[in-house]
Amino acid sequence: MHAIISLVAGLIFGLGLAFSEMTNPAVVIGFLDIFGNWNPSLIIVMASAISVGMLGYWIKNKRIKPLFADKWYVPTLKHIDSKLIVGATLFGIGWGLSGYCPGPGLTALVNNPSEGVYFILALILGSGVHTLQNRTA
């Protein structure tokens, strides 16, 4: 059941990305171009995502346990540390420069393979560096 729910959630997420054109890096970069040809559509996508997240937490607070799991898996860390700040900064810089975050980056392997390959290689390299850094820390 977990695999089916994960597949359905991934398909809904992917369709949402495609429908909102968030798989198109020009749309994301257009959102960041506030002094040029600004494209505010990302605000609607973010507001929709926040609304879904809020609904999820509302459901979590109303139920003792999820329908298809033994317990809720909710992040427990609440402090902001240097790793979070550096990671968020690097993510934001990469997203702003390329117009891709991991979900749309995967779709770029099909939609725009010449850029997608570089993005995915950088994603794998960055993940590897993070893993090595945390292994030795």
Side-chain angles (χ1 to χ4, degrees), residues 1 19 30 36 45 55 57 59 65 70-71 81-82 86 92 101-102 104 108 122 125 134:
M1 185 57 83
F19 180 72
V45 174
L55 176 64
Y57 273 98
I59 292 170
K65 70 178 197 109
D70 295 331
K71 66 177 187 168
D81 61 3
S82 61
V86 170
C101 65
L125 178 66
N134 285 337

Side-chain angles (χ1 to χ4, degrees), residues 28-124:
V28 175
I29 292 171
F31 173 74
L32 299 171
D33 187 12
I34 57 175
F35 298 113
N37 191 17
W38 187 56
N39 180 351
S41 62
L42 185 56
I43 292 172
I44 296 167
V45 174
M46 287 183 182
S48 299
I50 290 168
S51 299
V52 170
M54 290 173 65
L55 176 64
Y57 273 98
W58 181 80
I59 292 170
K60 180 218 169 266
N61 290 332
K62 295 289 182 189
R63 299 189 53 83
I64 295 171
K65 70 178 197 109
L67 291 174
F68 302 109
D70 295 331
K71 66 177 187 168
W72 293 104
Y73 293 92
V74 180
T76 56
L77 296 178
K78 297 187 188 298
H79 67 282
I80 297 174
D81 61 3
S82 61
K83 287 182 181 180
L84 176 64
I85 292 170
V86 170
T89 302
L90 289 173
F91 179 88
I93 290 169
W95 192 26
L97 289 173
S98 70
Y100 291 118
C101 65
L106 288 173
T107 67
L109 289 173
V110 175
N111 298 339
N112 191 358
S114 61
E115 286 182 11
V117 167
Y118 293 117
F119 177 82
I120 296 303
L121 288 173
L123 178 70
I124 292 168

